[in-house]
Amino acid sequence: MFAKILIANRGEIACRVIRTARKLGVRTVAVYSDADARSLHVEMADEAVHIGPSRVGESYLRGDKIIAAALTTGAQAIHPGYGFLSENPDFADQVTAAGLIFIGPSAASIRAMGLKDAAKRLMEKAGVPVVPGYHGEAQEIVLLASKAREIGYPVLIKARAGGGGKGMRRVEHPDEFSEALSSARREAKAAFGDDRVLVEKYVDKPRHIEVQVFGDNFGNAVHLYERDCSAQRRHQKVIEESPAPGMTEALRKAMTDAAVKAAKAINYSGAGTIEFIVDASQGLKADRFWFMEMNTRLQVEHPVTEMVTGTDLVEWQLRVASGEKLPKTQSEIALTGHAFEARIYAEDAAKGFLPATGTLHHLRFPDAAPQGATMRIETGVRAGDAISPYYDPMIAKLVVHATDRQAALEALGAALSRTEIAGSTVNTAFLAALAADPDFAAGDVDTSLIGRHQAALTIVPPPSGETIAAAAVAASGAGASPLSDDPWSSLAGYAHFHSVARRTWLKFGEDDIAAKVSVRPDGRFQVALDKPYDDTNSHDFRAAPRLARWPGHITVFEGAVGYTFAVPDPLARADDAAASTGSLRAPMPGLVKLVRVGKGDAVIKGQPLLILEAMKMEHTISAPHDGVIAEIATEGAQVTDGTVLVRFVEEHNAATTAVS
């Protein structure tokens, strides 16, 4: 076993590797950028080395700096985690050339599976079924459009490099092909440095089912069963589970046999995932699945496999890379119970899952899983950390395991309802709604489920009168202890006849709310809200609600929903609150990738104006109304959240940016 390893990654996966390394007595070296100087993975590691500025191209993608850090600190091997350089064969070669061990597959295996088109040709030769489509080298638009017509619409344009839904577009009609191809190529180029694509038949009711495989350097390869990753938004996974609901023994055997065959075809060593698309339009059948791609690394969702098989896949990675054989044979790997993983992101589900930033002023996960279930939280942040625009906005992975799917799903819902996050917009309410969705609960899942139900899944009911009243009490400071800003920590003190009501103001969204807070003789708080916010108009509190105070705000938690109220500064000038009209502002930090109109152009409502690239995804900014362009951002401009992107000549009421 290694004495010391370097982890060429950050956040949750770096922390995950450190925990297993510590268990095995292996010392760890972390690397970090400027933005991560005080991050959790830096604190947890035995040593840490600064490798550059916040942008990934100047830090986490600098293989030379990472290798130099490993050599300087005496690390024997490098664990790449996932993302960044984990599937870069040149980096794997450079690690080996430096006399270090790459904790992952060989560069040859990564190259064999790194490009989707070449991988599919290889799988066809190995006898693994592949999706009907064009996987050739030629990339002329006329040829690709011709192949799309041959395949038959709808088709799917996919970047041949990378994954995560980037560079992927569904095309319903030939007239849409050219624009979709251009958009997919731009996004693929930005994300992977490769704008080449393949074109495939779009499966009407696709299930995304993948098989965890593992190989060693002695020719052994096993599978650790399947994961269902069909619950996706924008082609990115949201909730994963194992085993796949509705899985038949015939299909499981066919898929796992194909997965092991694929791994052996490239002499695979280490952790890998064979991803299949399954046509579920007529149920799960053994002849209706096709190879999509192989991820030559550890997957984000690997904990669900660990839960149902009782394994530590990171430990397996370290053992195999250090020269040991696989810890178990195929017959020794059993499938037990059911597990779910929910990815908690800083994002606004109601606004098309736009990534969000912010400081995690309050972060609290459940102390324990419901009776009969087990739970683990995989995270790389803690309270007080910031979600920056430079990296993936995932906050944590909440993983539960129980005896069967129903019990595991109930445990997932219960855990989400007790998760509290304040300081950034998060997706916990959406995850809880998805877990409770009737189709999802019944296991009737496909990759379009979230899209079909998105409106219902992303609607958050307005706060109840009691929730507003709780925020009012917290904002008023009534009864607060001198040693705490928590108004529930003590009584309000003594009043000879009755307490004097305190006038409190809150802001929820665009709504201004006024309330009067007083304390009854028995110590309970009483709140009267101005109508029309509350029909009851009076609330008594005997117990403290779940809430968090943070600078200028109060968040009250109802189940998985966090309602955030701004507490206005009574001395602030009113004109600061008035937004200028006739302009569009950036909904998040990003890069102006493409400008479609110019100064003086007349535009109509809904017309695309520019493309903003953020979090490696493209977002179309459209006109909220008819008008004439007075000013527009320039291509290549780096903008921050709230930057004015477009100004109109004519005056209009403030409008909301349309983002797709």
Side-chain angles (χ1 to χ4, degrees):
M1 180 53 66
F2 304 115
K4 182 188 290 187
I5 65 171
L6 180 141
I7 303 163
N9 218 296
R10 64 175 299 281
E12 170 266 326
I13 185 57
C15 295
R16 167 73 184 87
V17 174
I18 290 170
R19 285 194 294 271
T20 288
R22 185 179 294 166
K23 179 182 70 174
L24 297 175
V26 177
R27 292 179 61 80
T28 55
V29 180
V31 294
Y32 64 93
S33 68
D34 290 345
D36 283 338
R38 295 178 177 82
S39 64
L40 182 59
H41 79 278
V42 171
E43 179 182 295
M44 289 178 62
D46 296 298
E47 302 173 56
V49 179
H50 177 250
I51 54 171
S54 301
R55 296 186 183 281
V56 295
E58 301 175 76
S59 52
Y60 295 107
L61 293 180
R62 287 291 302 271
D64 56 337
K65 291 185 176 182
I66 291 169
I67 291 171
L71 294 173
T72 300
T73 57
Q76 300 160 286
I78 294 178
H79 194 302
Y82 49 69
F84 295 144
L85 295 170
S86 63
E87 294 181 283
N88 186 315
D90 294 336
F91 177 64
D93 275 338
Q94 292 161 7
V95 170
T96 303
L100 303 167
I101 294 175
F102 182 76
I103 303 176
S106 67
S109 293
I110 298 174
R111 285 191 177 95
M113 289 297 190
L115 299 176
K116 295 182 178 69
D117 52 355
K120 289 182 178 182
R121 292 194 295 269
L122 177 63
M123 290 299 98
E124 283 182 301
K125 292 180 181 178
V128 177
V130 301
V131 181
Y134 173 71
H135 308 130
E137 291 288 340
Q139 293 288 300
E140 293 81 5
I141 184 172
V142 174
L143 173 67
L144 295 176
S146 174
K147 293 296 183 182
R149 285 193 297 271
E150 290 177 14
I151 297 165
Y153 285 88
V155 298
L156 198 63
I157 299 173
K158 298 173 65 175
R160 75 169 197 161
K166 298 178 179 67
M168 183 183 295
R169 298 291 185 274
R170 176 180 175 175
V171 189
E172 296 283 350
H173 192 273
D175 292 345
E176 303 169 1
F177 188 84
S178 177
E179 176 65 21
L181 177 63
S182 297
S183 179
R185 280 176 163 167
R186 285 194 304 270
E187 195 167 88
K189 184 70 173 178
F192 316 119
D194 186 343
D195 66 356
R196 286 169 288 182
V197 301
L198 48 86
V199 183
E200 293 181 342
K201 177 66 179 174
Y202 184 84
V203 179
D204 288 331
K205 191 175 182 181
R207 289 270 295 273
H208 181 140
I209 301 177
E210 58 191 32
V211 176
Q212 177 73 59
V213 294
F214 220 108
D216 62 21
N217 296 309
F218 300 91
N220 302 308
V222 298
H223 71 81
L224 291 94
Y225 301 96
E226 80 280 357
R227 297 184 290 258
D228 194 306
C229 306
S230 301
Q232 302 178 8
R233 88 294 187 251
R234 296 168 63 157
H235 305 294
Q236 293 182 311
K237 302 166 186 175
V238 175
I239 295 180
E240 302 95 354
E241 60 182 303
S242 182
M247 176 61 71
T248 65
E249 286 303 320
L251 178 57
R252 176 174 288 140
K253 184 178 188 323
M255 292 184 73
T256 54
D257 284 352
V260 172
K261 184 186 296 184
K264 288 186 174 181
I266 57 172
N267 300 314
Y268 195 78
S269 176
T273 300
I274 310 296
E275 298 193 351
F276 296 101
I277 187 169
V278 181
D279 183 354
S281 59
Q282 299 177 9
L284 299 183
K285 296 185 177 181
D287 62 347
R288 302 295 290 170
F289 75 95
W290 302 279
F291 171 87
M292 284 199 301
E293 61 182 321
M294 181 178 188
N295 287 307
T296 52
R297 54 170 168 80
L298 196 67
Q299 290 279 89
V300 177
E301 59 272 22
H302 75 274
V304 294
T305 294
E306 294 181 323
M307 293 288 238
V308 296
T309 59
T311 57
D312 182 335
L313 294 179
V314 175
E315 179 179 341
W316 281 34
Q317 285 186 299
L318 297 180
R319 292 193 180 281
V320 166
S322 66
E324 298 182 23
K325 290 185 177 181
L326 286 174
K328 291 184 179 181
T329 63
Q330 190 67 69
S331 62
E332 295 173 318
I333 303 172
L335 180 64
T336 305
H338 202 100
F340 284 97
E341 174 184 292
R343 302 188 189 189
I344 300 175
Y345 279 96
E347 65 180 15
D348 193 336
K351 293 183 179 179
F353 303 102
L354 281 177
T357 56
T359 299
L360 301 176
H361 291 283
H362 178 82
L363 182 65
R364 180 178 297 164
F365 298 106
D367 295 329
Q371 187 173 4
T374 56
M375 178 187 67
R376 58 194 262 194
I377 304 295
E378 301 282 354
T379 186
V381 297
R382 67 231 139 150
D385 285 350
I387 303 298
S388 81
Y390 298 107
Y391 314 117
D392 185 271
M394 187 170 70
I395 295 172
K397 302 182 306 193
L398 193 158
V399 192
V400 296
H401 177 264
T403 54
D404 55 48
R405 188 174 190 272
Q406 181 60 36
L409 193 58
E410 291 174 359
L412 177 65
L416 286 168
S417 71
R418 300 299 300 174
T419 297
E420 301 176 2
I421 304 173
S424 176
T425 303
V426 295
N427 68 338
T428 50
F430 162 74
L431 293 172
L434 178 58
D437 178 84
D439 287 347
F440 186 85
D444 185 12
V445 186
D446 63 80
T447 58
S448 299
L449 172 68
I450 291 176
R452 290 194 305 272
H453 299 186
Q454 185 167 332
L457 293 173
T458 56
I459 288 177
V460 176
S464 65
E466 186 166 342
T467 294
I468 298 172
V473 174
S476 73
S481 163
L483 301 179
S484 171
D485 64 351
D486 176 12
W488 311 94
S489 63
S490 69
L491 299 182
Y494 172 76
H496 188 66
F497 293 107
H498 58 82
S499 62
V500 177
R502 301 189 184 189
R503 192 71 169 168
T504 301
W505 288 267
L506 299 169
K507 194 173 185 66
F508 184 77
E510 297 300 317
D511 295 336
D512 294 306
I513 303 172
K516 292 181 179 179
V517 180
S518 57
V519 183
R520 294 163 56 101
D522 59 4
R524 288 181 295 168
F525 295 103
Q526 187 173 51
V527 182
L529 301 174
D530 284 3
K531 291 181 181 292
Y533 303 105
D534 183 33
D535 293 332
T536 305
N537 203 42
S538 181
H539 295 271
D540 289 353
F541 290 94
R542 295 179 181 272
R546 296 163 55 214
L547 59 81
R549 292 179 61 104
W550 48 287
H553 299 81
I554 292 161
T555 300
V556 182
F557 301 99
E558 282 188 18
V561 183
Y563 293 101
T564 295
F565 300 85
V567 183
D569 180 353
L571 299 179
R573 294 178 59 85
D575 58 355
D576 289 342
S580 62
T581 61
S583 63
L584 289 175
R585 296 178 181 271
M588 63 194 137
L591 174 71
V592 179
K593 191 71 174 180
L594 181 67
V595 175
R596 296 181 177 273
V597 296
K599 182 177 180 180
D601 287 353
V603 298
I604 61 174
K605 182 177 180 180
Q607 180 177 342
L609 304 179
L610 57 85
I611 292 176
L612 184 69
E613 181 185 280
M615 305 292 185
K616 299 183 181 179
M617 299 289 283
E618 290 189 354
H619 308 274
T620 300
I621 307 299
S622 302
H625 49 68
D626 297 350
V628 177
I629 303 297
E631 296 178 32
I632 191 163
T634 57
E635 286 188 13
Q638 192 76 39
V639 298
T640 59
D641 187 8
T643 299
V644 174
L645 298 175
V646 183
R647 291 190 190 277
F648 295 94
V649 171
E650 299 178 6
E651 290 290 326
H652 292 277
N653 292 330
T656 303
T657 302
V659 178
S660 62

